[in-house]
Amino acid sequence: MKLKERVLISVMAGLVMLTMIVVLEAETSLTAPSRTRTPAHARVHYAFRQRHLQKTSNASREASLSAAASAQVGVVSDDSAPPPPPAPGALAGAGADSGREKRTGTPATPPDSFSDLAEAALKASNNSKVVRRRNHWNPCLGELLGLELRDNSTLWDKFHLSISRDELYAAEDPTVDRLLRHVATAPITHIALKEGGTQLKLLIEFADGGHALFKPMRFPREQQTLKNHFYFTDFERHNAEIAAFHLDRLLGFRRAVPIVGRVVNMTRELYAFAQGELLKTFFISPDGNLCFHGKCSYYCDTAHAICGNPDLLEGSFSVYLPGKEVAPRRVWRHPWRRSYHKRRKAQWEVDGDYCQLVQEVHPYTDGRRLLDMADMAVLDFLMGNMDRHHYETFKMFGNNSAPIHLDHGRGFGRAFHDELSILAPLRQCCVIRLSTLASLLRYHSGPAPLSAALRSSLSADPLSPVLWEPHLHALDRRLGLVLREVRHCLRKARDPSRVIVEDFH
């Protein structure tokens, strides 16, 4: 056969094959509507997710319990681990529209008076055979140390020696407010880097010898935690620390360290006293502002620098507690600590009977500590703080010491999302103090809601307004959610007195 004929036959065969392919494709298009067609890559994506996510699920019995755990804890939580940090600038540069996050909180419902809870609280109060006042031993540090306050005692001494087993300061003690006004204006004489922690903190020393912990402003009040970021990758907020102290006081706990806001002049009050490694981190930004980043585990680099305007900087000043050589403290691992891992869950998130395990371990077998965990959960839920991994108590007061409420910088991060998993201690143990419930009911049904009370309290701070308004509105919404959880506990309890406990704290 000649070459010319072979070429002709090959071309004709190719045309026949092409025609058949076109016809088959047309028939497929006619028999399957376009809107139900599955992309060719869908199977590949599904196989990838199945392979990688199923591998995690099969690693333990968590998979079989995850559905039940989600129902008990409230929402599917993003569990996490002490970070790898996000990409440089990922947090600081993404806040322009984060304040417009889609609202994912509980939909609006008709007002609920919670009259059934008020009736149950009244009954619990009437059933108490003890006169409604503290009749237990509540010593202060001064008594145990054998030190008495004098007319010439400093504000720091008055605060430290008055710390009692039940609270850091008394309800009517004017010392705290006076001390906060002093911290907001006292001359700074020395600064140093605070060791430990993931983010920058400075130790401040004042001219009269007092000390405070300084957390600088990172971003505007309306910037929220990014939805795709775990809570441990978020920056700490100086204003959250201030608001947490005021909220703790309004709820009647008085276990949070006194904190006040202050505007510092970075040139005269920070740079002038910086030394060593800290001094080397100061620089002038391209916009002409004085900046520094210090040294810490994460977020202490040029991409995450703290800058003034041009050298004025907001920050929170936490009053120092007595030195550990005088009043040593014990650090406890929080029973409802999160796993701090991107995939793994903590035991309390997958075990519906977890509270029974906690109650078999000292110091949660008896006494006040389990009720303290419920109080702490209420406080954390109201501010949206998921970063509660440890807490401290004063050794001198023994196991009946009230826990100290510390480190709330990751609160008030998402105004339109209610993280119900924070309430796990209350939901799983179904116990709450009568005094705590009464305080919540008072703000729910009283003349001034919790949002208005906190707004009024924060108005006295030098950095007022301290909170973005949506965060204040979220308090009233979340307070109602706490009361619903208490109602649910009462409905399933055989003995309501085991739910609402009067222990006179």
Side-chain angles (χ1 to χ4, degrees):
M1 185 180 293
K2 296 181 180 180
L3 177 62
K4 188 175 183 179
E5 292 174 342
R6 288 199 298 269
V7 171
L8 181 61
I9 292 173
S10 299
V11 171
M12 293 178 65
L15 291 174
V16 171
M17 291 295 294
L18 180 62
T19 302
M20 292 177 63
I21 292 173
V22 172
V23 171
L24 289 174
E25 179 69 17
E27 289 180 354
T28 303
S29 300
L30 291 173
T31 56
S34 60
R35 69 169 178 261
T36 61
R37 230 179 286 164
T38 303
H41 59 270
R43 184 179 298 275
V44 177
H45 282 185
Y46 173 76
F48 174 83
R49 293 184 59 185
Q50 185 183 43
R51 182 167 64 252
H52 287 266
L53 299 183
Q54 190 68 23
K55 179 179 179 182
T56 301
S57 299
N58 287 338
S60 67
R61 68 190 280 264
E62 292 172 5
S64 61
L65 297 171
S66 60
S70 298
Q72 289 190 7
V73 174
V75 296
V76 178
S77 65
D78 295 330
D79 303 294
S80 27
L91 293 178
D97 60 355
S98 62
R100 296 190 292 273
E101 177 184 351
K102 182 180 178 181
R103 304 190 179 205
T104 58
T106 303
T109 55
D112 190 335
S113 64
F114 292 103
S115 57
D116 54 335
L117 295 189
E119 182 179 349
L122 180 61
K123 184 177 180 180
S125 179
N126 291 336
N127 286 342
S128 176
K129 298 179 181 180
V130 185
V131 178
R132 187 168 174 76
R133 62 181 178 83
R134 286 188 177 146
N135 58 356
H136 59 276
W137 189 51
N138 183 36
C140 63
L141 287 180
E143 294 177 39
L144 298 184
L145 293 173
L147 300 175
E148 296 182 0
L149 291 174
R150 301 177 181 178
D151 294 338
N152 61 346
S153 296
T154 66
L155 288 171
W156 307 93
D157 291 337
K158 292 179 180 178
F159 169 60
H160 290 165
L161 296 179
S162 297
I163 293 174
S164 69
R165 190 179 69 170
D166 291 347
E167 56 205 2
L168 291 181
Y169 55 93
E172 305 300 329
D173 188 356
T175 300
V176 169
D177 288 330
R178 293 172 57 196
L179 183 58
L180 292 179
R181 288 193 294 268
H182 175 72
V183 170
T185 56
I188 296 174
T189 58
H190 185 264
I191 66 171
L193 279 170
K194 172 75 165 60
E195 296 181 359
T198 60
Q199 302 187 29
L200 175 72
K201 294 179 279 288
L202 296 179
L203 302 178
I204 304 295
E205 182 175 343
F206 300 103
D208 61 356
H211 294 82
L213 183 67
F214 172 67
K215 289 188 179 182
M217 175 179 175
R218 283 283 188 176
F219 40 59
R221 287 152 173 72
E222 64 272 13
Q223 181 165 326
Q224 299 188 84
T225 301
L226 300 182
K227 292 183 289 185
N228 290 324
H229 280 186
F230 292 106
Y231 56 90
F232 56 79
T233 61
D234 192 19
F235 280 133
E236 294 186 3
R237 294 169 171 78
H238 72 300
N239 59 317
E241 293 281 8
I242 301 167
F245 159 67
H246 286 261
L247 179 61
D248 173 270
R249 181 161 61 173
L250 287 174
L251 293 175
F253 299 147
R254 295 186 297 280
R255 300 169 206 155
V257 175
I259 300 177
V260 68
R262 173 170 173 169
V263 177
V264 299
N265 184 299
M266 294 174 62
T267 302
R268 295 198 304 266
E269 298 178 301
L270 299 184
Y271 181 77
F273 299 105
Q275 298 177 356
E277 294 298 319
L278 176 60
L279 180 61
K280 296 177 182 178
T281 67
F282 279 82
F283 63 93
I284 301 297
S285 74
D287 197 35
N289 297 319
L290 181 60
C291 306
F292 74 108
H293 56 74
K295 297 286 185 180
C296 61
S297 301
Y298 306 103
Y299 316 123
C300 284
D301 52 52
T302 306
H304 298 94
I306 300 159
C307 297
N309 184 26
D311 63 349
L312 297 181
L313 176 66
E314 286 187 12
S316 65
F317 281 67
S318 306
V319 174
Y320 250 43
L321 294 172
K324 294 184 179 180
E325 67 282 355
V326 176
R329 302 194 296 271
R330 179 170 179 177
V331 179
W332 304 79
R333 181 187 175 96
H334 197 291
W336 281 269
R337 180 184 188 270
R338 297 178 184 272
S339 69
Y340 285 81
H341 193 277
K342 294 185 290 293
R343 291 176 296 275
R344 289 197 298 266
K345 291 182 179 296
Q347 185 176 354
W348 60 267
E349 294 178 279
V350 297
D351 187 352
D353 297 324
Y354 179 76
C355 186
Q356 296 180 16
L357 299 177
V358 173
Q359 290 176 294
E360 296 174 359
V361 179
H362 174 79
Y364 307 100
T365 52
D366 55 17
R368 63 174 293 164
R369 196 63 62 85
L370 197 63
L371 291 168
D372 289 333
M373 296 300 100
D375 285 348
M376 200 178 294
V378 170
L379 176 67
D380 285 336
F381 176 69
L382 291 174
M383 72 176 84
N385 177 37
M386 300 172 66
D387 190 32
R388 182 72 69 183
H389 42 81
H390 291 83
Y391 65 91
E392 298 183 16
T393 59
F394 286 101
K395 288 185 178 181
M396 199 173 297
F397 296 135
N399 290 322
N400 282 323
S401 172
I404 306 170
H405 294 172
L406 296 168
D407 201 8
H408 306 110
R410 288 194 170 111
F412 296 104
R414 299 180 67 182
F416 308 116
H417 172 75
D418 305 322
E419 184 59 48
L420 292 174
S421 65
I422 301 174
L423 285 177
L426 172 61
R427 306 187 78 181
Q428 294 179 353
C429 300
C430 274
V431 291
I432 189 171
R433 275 196 175 93
L434 174 60
S435 58
T436 302
L437 178 59
S439 178
L440 296 175
L441 289 170
R442 181 173 67 253
Y443 284 118
H444 179 269
S445 305
L450 184 57
S451 58
L454 184 58
R455 185 186 297 108
S456 175
S457 182
L458 290 173
S459 65
D461 190 87
L463 301 186
S464 181
V466 173
L467 283 180
W468 187 37
E469 276 297 311
H471 286 301
L472 290 168
H473 298 321
L475 289 172
D476 299 329
R477 182 180 71 243
R478 292 169 184 166
L479 189 150
L481 294 176
V482 176
L483 293 177
R484 289 178 196 172
E485 291 298 333
V486 178
R487 170 185 284 163
H488 178 70
C489 287
L490 285 172
R491 286 177 176 175
K492 68 180 184 180
R494 295 180 179 178
D495 183 2
S497 65
R498 293 184 176 273
V499 177
I500 304 174
V501 180
E502 168 64 290
D503 69 341
F504 300 97
H505 287 285

